[in-house]
């Protein structure tokens, strides 16, 4: 098995999903690593939307960079059509910027609420990334069904030469889950081989949870709409 080159360009992708795990974990790393915004991604069909943070006007889908690490983060949830547009936009950006692998962070519905600590699972589109799961002791996602934005991105990249790794943290799907986000952040730091000070994660995640309260409401609405359409198909599971 070929070991991925840690010096190659890597791109993280985060978007609103179960528990806002992707949004929280990627937002935390952007601020912690002091990444700089280097661009925006536009997709057709997206309603005109802007956000204001500290007096700065922000586009809903932004690109950040530091050294060989790129980040694409969306502050809006996607329906099926927009998810496909987003997935293709991610691929085009990756191809244009010579990205060698992407890492997606998302949440999966907690099946056992009694667990003391959320588990995290990994799914890879290309076997070259299997070593990342093994080296970081990440459980492999073996069986299940995937829907929504996750599925759209996976569907695109599994047909390309750019491998993708999806990290799924167990979480409560219908409200922000700081604990799951912390597990995702710690795991992501290992995968990227960066040091993260975990002492203040909880405080910063709680602040993000308050800031993204409206986003969680909108995400829940999208998830519920998707659930109604797919009520006859089993939810994501292991």
């Amino acid at each position: 098995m070929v070991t991925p080159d840690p010096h190659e360009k890597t791109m993280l992708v985060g978007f609103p999903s179960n528990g806002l795990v992707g949004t929280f974990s990627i937002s935390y790393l952007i601020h912690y690593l002091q990444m700089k915004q280097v661009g925006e991604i536009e997709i057709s069909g997206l309603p005109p939307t802007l956000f204001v943070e500290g007096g700065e006007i922000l586009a809903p889908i932004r690109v950040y960079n530091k050294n060989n690490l790129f980040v694409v983060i969306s502050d809006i949830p996607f329906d099926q059509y927009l998810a496909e547009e987003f997935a293709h936009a991610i691929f085009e950006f990756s191809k244009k910027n010579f990205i060698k692998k992407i890492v997606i962070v998302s949440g999966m519905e907690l099946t056992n609420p009694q667990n003391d600590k959320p588990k995290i699972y990994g799914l890879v589109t290309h076997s070259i990334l299997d070593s990342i799961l093994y080296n970081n002791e990440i459980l492999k996602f073996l069986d299940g069904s995937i829907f929504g934005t996750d599925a759209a991105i996976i569907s695109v990249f599994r047909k390309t030469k750019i491998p993708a790794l999806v990290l799924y943290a167990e979480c409560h799907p219908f409200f922000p889950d700081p604990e799951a986000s912390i597990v995702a952040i710690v795991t992501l730091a290992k995968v990227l081989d960066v040091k993260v000070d975990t002492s203040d994660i909880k405080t910063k995640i709680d602040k993000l949870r308050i800031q993204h309260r409206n986003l969680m409401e909108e995400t829940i609405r999208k998830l519920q709409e998707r659930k109604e359409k797919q009520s006859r198909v089993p939810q994501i599971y292991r």
Side-chain angles (χ1 to χ4, degrees), residues 15-24 105-110 147 150 168-177 180-181 216 219-220 222-224 226-227 235-236:
F15 47 84
S17 62
N18 289 332
L20 290 186
V21 173
T23 302
F24 287 171
V105 184
S106 191
M108 65 161 55
E109 187 170 346
L110 188 66
F147 306 107
D150 311 43
Y168 282 112
E170 290 183 322
C171 66
H172 297 281
F174 296 130
F175 60 85
D177 195 329
S181 299
M216 189 70 246
T219 302
I220 289 173
K222 294 289 186 184
L223 290 172
Q224 289 176 335
R226 189 182 304 153
K227 206 167 188 177
Q235 290 286 319
I236 187 170

Side-chain angles (χ1 to χ4, degrees), residues 11-16 20-31 37 39-41 51 58-64 70-76 78 86 90 208 212 215:
M11 184 172 69
L12 309 183
V13 181
F15 47 84
L20 290 186
V21 173
T23 302
F24 287 171
S25 55
I26 298 299
S27 294
Y28 180 86
L29 279 180
I30 288 173
H31 290 93
Q37 183 177 342
E40 302 170 357
I41 287 183
F51 298 93
L58 301 174
I61 308 175
R62 303 178 301 281
V63 182
Y64 294 83
F70 287 80
V71 166
V72 174
I73 185 167
S74 171
D75 283 334
I76 54 172
F78 301 114
F86 180 62
I90 293 296
L208 286 170
H212 290 83
L215 176 59

Side-chain angles (χ1 to χ4, degrees), residues 23-160:
T23 302
F24 287 171
S25 55
I26 298 299
S27 294
Y28 180 86
L29 279 180
I30 288 173
H31 290 93
Y32 185 83
L33 297 177
Q34 298 181 334
M35 303 184 75
K36 302 296 183 182
Q37 183 177 342
V38 294
E40 302 170 357
I41 287 183
E42 298 182 0
I43 57 176
S44 60
L46 183 67
T49 307
L50 291 171
F51 298 93
V52 179
E53 184 177 307
E56 181 183 1
I57 299 174
L58 301 174
I61 308 175
R62 303 178 301 281
V63 182
Y64 294 83
N65 169 247
K66 184 173 183 180
N67 300 327
N68 287 325
L69 183 62
F70 287 80
V71 166
V72 174
I73 185 167
S74 171
D75 283 334
I76 54 172
F78 301 114
D79 57 24
Q80 180 177 348
Y81 171 75
L82 290 178
E84 293 173 359
E85 292 288 315
F86 180 62
H88 285 289
I90 293 296
F91 171 66
E92 290 301 325
F93 180 90
S94 301
K95 187 169 59 172
K96 181 179 179 181
N97 290 275
F98 305 102
I99 303 295
K100 295 302 181 182
K101 69 174 177 291
I102 73 166
V103 181
I104 305 162
V105 184
S106 191
M108 65 161 55
E109 187 170 346
L110 188 66
T111 56
N112 183 8
Q114 302 304 317
N115 284 347
D116 293 332
K117 182 179 180 181
K119 294 180 181 178
I120 194 160
Y121 296 82
L123 178 67
V124 299
T125 60
H126 298 59
S127 59
I128 190 175
L129 299 186
D130 276 335
S131 59
I132 293 180
L133 302 183
Y134 178 80
N135 293 337
N136 294 283
E137 300 181 331
I138 300 171
L139 298 172
K140 193 167 187 177
F141 185 163
L142 295 177
D143 302 284
S145 301
I146 303 173
F147 306 107
T149 307
D150 311 43
I153 298 177
I154 292 170
S155 295
V156 168
F157 278 88
R158 66 189 290 265
K159 300 172 185 176
T160 75

